[in-house]
Amino acid sequence: AVYLTAIEQPDKYSLASLVSDEEYSLQLPNGSQWTPKNYDQKSHENVLLYRALANSYNQATARLGNQIGLESILETIKRLGIEQPLLALPSITLGAVGMAPIEVGQMFQTMSADGFYTPLQAINSVMEPRGKVLNSYPLAVEQRFDSTSIYILRHALQATTHEGTAKALNWLLPEFSVAGKTGTTNDLRDSWFAGFSGDMMA
């Protein structure tokens, strides 16, 4: 959501924009300091925007996200399909919010469908034993993002699997060009991957 929000501002950001991955610290309203660190505990100076995404550089992402504005990022998250109310906390830039896998799936569905939002559902219709339809849940589609922005984001997400934190998926190539993102919480309590290729998403 951070990088999509940036990409939607082509006059300011592109995949080749440089973002600083030096140490980052933000003073919070309560006076404490928020200082996110990269997973490898290293700083990487100035990096291309797409590489910051592909390699999950927390310092660059936190800096970029707070430059763009938390309210803009929250609006992007909502447009991607997340309905739960979220607080505008700096840590949201690093995905520090609890979501069920189906909610993450909803976000990636919108990205994988060129910016068209379709609510995920497990039931198409309810029928009585003789086949009469009692209730149906038709497909609903709404364009929420420009396809150009999504195309650019997809390219960056493919870099995650080609050269970034999910490059272990290279064995899927060339049959599947997977676009996705990894995520890890503190102390590896949670570690996940979400991605898509063609008409498949996991």
Side-chain angles (χ1 to χ4, degrees):
V2 170
Y3 290 90
L4 179 54
T5 306
I7 289 166
E8 285 194 294
Q9 303 173 53
D11 55 322
K12 295 181 182 177
Y13 301 101
S14 74
L15 295 185
S17 295
L18 288 175
V19 291
S20 172
D21 188 54
E22 293 296 334
E23 286 191 8
Y24 179 69
S25 187
L26 183 69
Q27 184 162 350
L28 302 177
N30 65 5
S32 64
Q33 294 288 120
W34 181 62
T35 309
K37 298 291 184 191
N38 288 328
Y39 182 74
D40 63 5
Q41 299 297 313
K42 297 176 183 174
S43 297
H44 305 93
E45 300 181 352
N46 290 325
V47 295
L48 297 175
L49 186 136
Y50 92 89
R51 284 198 173 136
L53 172 62
N55 291 291
S56 292
Y57 291 154
N58 289 336
Q59 294 168 174
T61 304
R63 178 178 279 108
L64 176 64
N66 282 285
Q67 286 172 351
I68 291 170
L70 301 179
E71 292 298 336
S72 296
I73 294 165
L74 289 174
E75 180 59 28
T76 299
I77 293 170
K78 184 176 180 182
R79 288 163 60 206
L80 284 167
I82 301 302
E83 296 178 359
Q84 64 167 296
L86 301 174
L87 297 175
L89 300 172
S91 58
I92 194 113
T93 59
L94 303 181
V97 59
M99 288 188 189
I102 194 158
E103 290 178 292
V104 177
Q106 181 67 75
M107 293 177 69
F108 276 78
Q109 181 281 322
T110 305
M111 288 183 256
S112 69
D114 294 326
F116 286 87
Y117 165 79
T118 303
L120 295 181
Q121 56 191 32
I123 300 171
N124 291 327
S125 60
V126 178
M127 298 185 206
E128 66 175 18
R130 293 183 183 163
K132 180 182 175 187
V133 176
L134 299 174
N135 203 351
S136 63
Y137 304 89
L139 185 66
V141 179
E142 176 188 350
Q143 185 169 9
R144 294 192 174 179
F145 294 92
D146 177 78
S147 59
T148 302
S149 298
I150 296 294
Y151 177 84
I152 293 168
L153 178 68
R154 182 179 297 144
H155 181 76
L157 291 172
Q158 286 173 337
T160 302
T161 60
H162 295 178
E163 60 185 88
T165 53
K167 62 186 171 190
L169 291 176
N170 267 333
W171 63 273
L172 288 169
L173 300 172
E175 287 132 78
F176 299 103
S177 188
V178 179
K181 186 73 185 73
T182 60
T184 307
T185 59
N186 292 346
D187 303 318
L188 285 173
R189 189 193 74 176
D190 296 312
S191 184
W192 57 267
F193 172 82
F196 56 89
S197 179
D199 63 352
M200 296 176 288
M201 181 175 63

